[in-house]
Amino acid sequence: MAVEFVGIDPNTDRDHCPTVWADAEAQEILLQGWKPSPETQVECEGSSPANGPVPESEAIVRIPARMIPMIREACDAVERAQLR
């Protein structure tokens, strides 16, 4: 796996630090964020008829809007890899 660090929340306190990585080889974006509250988890799971409980192998994470440029950069890195 060739994971490329893209960025960390600029407001991080180093203990709570949402982070973005890109894995161009696997064509995936990796996100570290805050766990949602139990209420938010239930709301997300019930927000669409296609949704159900989140499997144990998956997670919902919160990422602050200030990190959108980093997420775009990660998306671009993965898209560039598709063109190679």
Side-chain angles (χ1 to χ4, degrees), residues 2 4-5 8-10 12 20-22 25 35-36 39 45 48 50 57 63 65 68 71 76 78-79 81-82:
E4 172 189 343
F5 171 79
I8 192 168
D9 182 355
T12 185
V20 179
W21 299 269
E25 184 179 311
K35 293 179 181 180
E39 296 82 17
E45 291 175 339
S48 163
S57 61
I63 303 294
I68 289 172
I71 296 168
D76 291 344
V78 170
E79 285 180 337
Q82 290 176 340

Side-chain angles (χ1 to χ4, degrees), residues 52-74:
V54 175
E56 287 295 319
S57 61
E58 298 179 10
I60 296 169
V61 296
R62 287 187 173 270
I63 303 294
R66 63 185 166 265
M67 294 182 68
I68 289 172
M70 293 172 211
I71 296 168
R72 286 188 180 123
E73 184 179 337

Side-chain angles (χ1 to χ4, degrees), residues 22-46:
D23 184 340
E25 184 179 311
Q27 298 181 0
E28 297 174 339
I29 295 167
L30 299 103
L31 302 172
Q32 174 185 334
W34 300 294
K35 293 179 181 180
S37 69
E39 296 82 17
T40 300
Q41 178 90 20
V42 168
E43 186 176 348
C44 289
E45 291 175 339

